[in-house]
Amino acid sequence: NDTVKAIAAVDRKFNSEVSQSIYNGFRVNEVIITPIVENNQLKVKLETSTPGASIYYGINEQPDYAAAGMPYSSPITIPDGSFIYANATNPGFNEAGWSYHDNINASEYRCGRPSITVTDTLVTIGGPEGAQLYYTIDGSDPNDSKTRTQYKNPFKLTRNATIKAVAVANGKLNSLIYEREYSGFRVKDVTFAMYAQGDNLMMELACADKGAT
């Protein structure tokens, strides 16, 4: 946008009066607000197609748009259920005008929850198509536990366990954790044996399970 001024000049005459015209038809293109997932965090990406434009935003301060004074440089992490609004400026251009995206809920960007089935001692884990499944059997968090294992095929338990599983997919938040307790293992019965040793009657206790106390 600019102000154009002009005069007319002729020999042996005074110059004409200045004429001017103001043009303000250039406007920054609107800000596009796109929720994305990076490193298992819900974020928002802001962009405008106008080269060189600066973007400013605010979060959860509606309707006070004047508070949108935070400059944008890279995707921003937002709280679940956030309302975000943004504008863009560029010297010589009118502002883009307000763009907004309300109620950005994590549930809309989360991977579906897995399932755990235990038949006898055989564990089968299912999940959304295309997702990778991770599990633990020691009760730890399958999102980041050092003992987590990627599920490939059904496996057998060898002791009672707290099984936890999570589904992971590109571009989505990790699923909520699914948990299943298995307590079908029991120490075998103690056996008693009586025998004489000299003048003493002795009793011996035994259990067929290795390591049982």
Side-chain angles (χ1 to χ4, degrees), residues 5 7 12 24 27 45 68 72 75 93 101 111 121 125 130 137 142 146 171 198 206 209 211:
K5 295 183 178 182
I7 62 170
R12 295 190 296 276
N24 60 359
R27 181 179 297 277
K45 180 173 67 174
Y72 173 83
F93 288 70
H101 196 310
C111 190
T121 60
I125 302 176
I137 58 174
K146 292 181 179 180
D209 280 332

Side-chain angles (χ1 to χ4, degrees), residues 102-131:
D102 61 353
N103 201 24
I104 303 176
N105 290 314
S107 60
E108 298 178 21
Y109 305 92
R110 190 176 297 282
C111 190
R113 203 175 186 187
S115 62
I116 300 173
T117 303
V118 182
T119 305
D120 292 329
T121 60
L122 186 67
V123 179
T124 303
I125 302 176
E129 184 177 354

Side-chain angles (χ1 to χ4, degrees), residues 9-182:
V10 179
D11 288 345
R12 295 190 296 276
K13 288 188 177 181
F14 293 111
N15 292 348
S16 70
E17 298 290 334
V18 176
S19 297
Q20 72 174 35
S21 178
I22 300 174
Y23 183 81
N24 60 359
F26 287 101
R27 181 179 297 277
V28 178
N29 292 329
E30 68 173 334
V31 177
I32 304 301
I33 302 174
T34 308
I36 62 173
V37 175
E38 285 186 352
N39 300 320
N40 199 33
Q41 291 183 318
L42 181 59
K43 298 184 177 183
V44 166
K45 180 173 67 174
L46 308 178
E47 54 190 347
T48 176
S49 59
T50 301
S54 298
I55 298 175
Y56 297 86
Y57 70 96
I59 300 177
N60 294 333
E61 295 173 356
Q62 67 180 83
D64 183 13
Y65 292 120
M70 293 183 286
Y72 173 83
S73 59
S74 60
I76 49 178
T77 303
I78 59 172
D80 190 17
S82 289
F83 172 88
I84 185 168
Y85 49 95
N87 201 348
T89 62
N90 201 20
F93 288 70
N94 295 325
E95 292 184 354
W98 292 104
S99 298
Y100 65 92
H101 196 310
D102 61 353
N103 201 24
I104 303 176
N105 290 314
S107 60
E108 298 178 21
Y109 305 92
R110 190 176 297 282
C111 190
R113 203 175 186 187
S115 62
I116 300 173
T117 303
V118 182
T119 305
D120 292 329
T121 60
L122 186 67
V123 179
T124 303
I125 302 176
E129 184 177 354
Q132 294 181 324
L133 305 175
Y134 294 89
Y135 69 93
T136 60
I137 58 174
D138 60 1
S140 59
D141 189 332
N143 285 291
D144 52 16
S145 173
K146 292 181 179 180
T147 63
R148 81 171 187 169
T149 302
Q150 185 173 356
Y151 177 80
K152 297 292 186 182
N153 298 296
F155 61 92
K156 283 194 171 185
L157 295 172
T158 58
R159 60 187 301 170
N160 293 334
T162 299
I163 311 162
K164 293 185 178 182
V166 67
V168 178
N170 289 334
K172 292 187 176 182
L173 296 169
N174 291 359
S175 74
L176 297 176
I177 294 173
Y178 188 90
E179 180 176 338
R180 179 77 181 269
E181 293 279 350
Y182 182 80

